[in-house]
Every structure is written in structure tokens, then in C-alpha cells.
């Protein structure tokens, strides 16, 4: 499930690409979806600032990553899929929810909420990375996720405050260890698998490996 195209106003592209690579390697068939709604705003990524008087559609922008093969999130059903995965990027906090603005009082896009609840009820695994675990924390009360550490540790975890928000949203936060490998956290009870990805200032291959661990565990939980 994508949220646009670009880290500051949509899907983090490296994360989406890594997920697709690991899913392909795992032999999975993939269908991509995004909500057919306007973006919260558009960011000029060369300046890191909002582009005034510009608007874009989340589905249309997500189609860039999907190479055009994408459908409206309203068409996603549990009957047709074994699992669902949400990449990160600020789009998860801006377009899939209002977390970027409202924090613990955020609202989640109704189709995103429906998908999360439907997959959870069906006992089918849900994968999330980077900032997107806030969606599960908000919608699935008591779900245990990780967004990394709860302290910045000299800038290594610049978004450490998100861990506190996870708890305020009703979720449980698991501290993440970088050793011996960059892996994923598995909430076996709720079948929710998370990894911090770009929540940490680390080398790209660590992020790629962590996403790989998340995907591997999601596929394992499908039982196929």
C-alpha cells in the first residue's frame, strides 16, 4: 500500500523498492494499491519545502513507483491476498493518516483503517516499516511494533519521539537492537511485523536487510 512518491510527502522510494525486491526473491505475487485522495501537500524535495499552489493525487503519484500497475485502495480485499505491507515515508503520516499534524490524536484514512482491521480479523500478516507502524498502533489496539529506539542517541535515532507516540496511540513499543543484524520485530499474536528502516541514521544496506527480515517474516506468517 503506497502513499505517494517521495519521502517527504509520499512513499519512501528506497523502502518500496526494497520491499518489492525481497517479495520477488521470496516468490510472492504482488499487487500495489493507494488511496485515491489528494496529498496533504506537495514538497519540493530539492529544497525540503512545500511547493505553494501545487496539488497532487496520492494514487496518481504512487503509480510512478508501481510503473503504472496500481489500483485504488478501495479495491483491496483480504479474500484476494495473503498479506499486506505498508512502506514508510512521510506519506504514511500525511496521506494515510493525520499523524504528522495531529500526533496521538490522529485519524487514519478510512480505507487504510478498513484494510488493517480486515487483515487482522482474518489472521493475515501485516508488515510495516519506518513511520508506518503508527497506523497499526492507532487501529489495532495493543499491537506491538518497533520504530527503533526511544532516545535519539546523539542523532542516530532522530525520530525517537515516535516511540512515545506509539504508546499514546494504544500500541506497545519494542526497543530495537542493531546487533548482530538489522532485523525485524514480530508480534506473533497480532501477526504484525515491523522494522525501523530510515528511522535510523545507518547505512543503506542495513535498511535493505531490515526490510528483508520484515518481508521474510511476513511471508513466513502466511504459512505458504
Amino acid at each position: 500500500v503506497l502513499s505517494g512518491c517521495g519521502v517527504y510527502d509520499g512513499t519512501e522510494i528506497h523502502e518500496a523498492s526494497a520491499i518489492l525486491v525481497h517479495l520477488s526473491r521470496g516468490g510472492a505475487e504482488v499487487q500495489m494499491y493507494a488511496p485515491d485522495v489528494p496529498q496533504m501537500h506537495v514538497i519540493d524535495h530539492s529544497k525540503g519545502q512545500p511547493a505553494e499552489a501545487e496539488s497532487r493525487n496520492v494514487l496518481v503519484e504512487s503509480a510512478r513507483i508501481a510503473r503504472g500497475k496500481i489500483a485504488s485502495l478501495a479495491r483491496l480485499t483480504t479474500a484476494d491476498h495473503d498479506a499486506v505491507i505498508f512502506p514508510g515515508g512521510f506519506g504514511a503520516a500525511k496521506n494515510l493518516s493525520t499523524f504528522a499534524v495531529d500526533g496521538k490524536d490522529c485519524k487514519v484514512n478510512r480505507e487504510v483503517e478498513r484494510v488493517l482491521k480486515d487483515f487482522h480479523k482474518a489472521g493475515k500478516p501485516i508488515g510495516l516499516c519506518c513511520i508506518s507502524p503508527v497506523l497499526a498502533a492507532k487501529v489495532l489496539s495493543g499491537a506491538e511494533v518497533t520504530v527503533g529506539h526511544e532516545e535519539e542517541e546523539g542523532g542516530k535515532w532522530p525520530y525517537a519521539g515516535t516511540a512515545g507516540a506509539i504508546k499514546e496511540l494504544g500500541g506497545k513499543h519494542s526497543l530495537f537492537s542493531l546487533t548482530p543484524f538489522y532485523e525485524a520485530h514480530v508480534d506473533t499474536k497480532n501477526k504484525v511485523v515491523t522494522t525501523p528502516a530510515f528511522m535510523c541514521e545507518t547505512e543503506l544496506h542495513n535498511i535493505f536487510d531490515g526490510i528483508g527480515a520484515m518481508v521474510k517474516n511476513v511471508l513466513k506468517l502466511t504459512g505458504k
Side-chain angles (χ1 to χ4, degrees):
V1 176
L2 304 179
S3 61
C5 182
V7 58
Y8 297 123
D9 58 11
T11 302
E12 212 300 320
I13 298 170
H14 294 292
E15 292 177 10
S17 179
I19 290 168
L20 291 170
V21 169
H22 287 296
L23 284 170
S24 176
R25 184 169 287 150
E29 294 182 22
V30 179
Q31 171 65 56
M32 283 176 269
Y33 297 88
D36 188 1
V37 295
Q39 289 187 186
M40 174 184 148
H41 60 189
V42 178
I43 297 293
D44 179 339
H45 281 63
S46 69
K47 299 176 181 177
Q49 299 175 348
E52 301 297 336
E54 189 171 344
S55 62
R56 298 186 186 182
N57 178 279
V58 175
L59 178 61
V60 173
E61 290 302 295
S62 298
R64 295 175 180 270
I65 297 174
R67 297 173 63 86
K69 297 179 180 179
I70 195 166
S72 170
L73 186 59
R75 295 173 58 185
L76 173 54
T77 66
T78 57
D80 296 330
H81 301 83
D82 298 310
V84 64
I85 296 180
F86 291 80
F90 282 96
K94 293 179 176 180
N95 304 327
L96 303 188
S97 71
T98 63
F99 181 77
V101 176
D102 300 323
K104 66 181 179 62
D105 298 316
C106 69
K107 295 179 180 179
V108 175
N109 171 280
R110 65 180 184 178
E111 290 297 339
V112 172
E113 182 174 3
R114 175 189 64 81
V115 167
L116 287 168
K117 287 183 175 179
D118 285 355
F119 274 80
H120 185 254
K121 184 178 180 179
K124 295 185 175 183
I126 300 166
L128 311 104
C129 64
C130 199
I131 191 68
S132 67
V134 300
L135 302 172
K138 176 68 176 181
V139 174
L140 308 176
S141 181
E144 187 171 87
V145 302
T146 189
V147 289
H149 281 215
E150 299 179 3
E151 302 292 337
E152 290 190 19
E153 295 188 10
K156 189 171 183 65
W157 297 92
Y159 308 105
T162 307
I166 292 287
K167 298 174 184 177
E168 292 180 315
L169 287 168
K172 299 177 182 177
H173 186 258
S174 175
L175 287 175
F176 190 81
S177 174
L178 289 178
T179 56
F181 305 107
Y182 203 90
E183 296 188 345
H185 176 75
V186 182
D187 176 350
T188 53
K189 178 183 177 181
N190 293 293
K191 291 190 176 181
V192 173
V193 188
T194 51
T195 192
F198 281 99
M199 297 295 277
C200 181
E201 290 291 334
T202 187
E203 291 81 4
L204 184 60
H205 68 273
N206 285 330
I207 293 166
F208 184 87
D209 290 347
I211 288 173
M214 181 266 285
V215 170
K216 183 178 180 180
N217 279 286
V218 166
L219 294 179
K220 182 179 180 180
L221 287 171
T222 66
K224 295 190 174 183

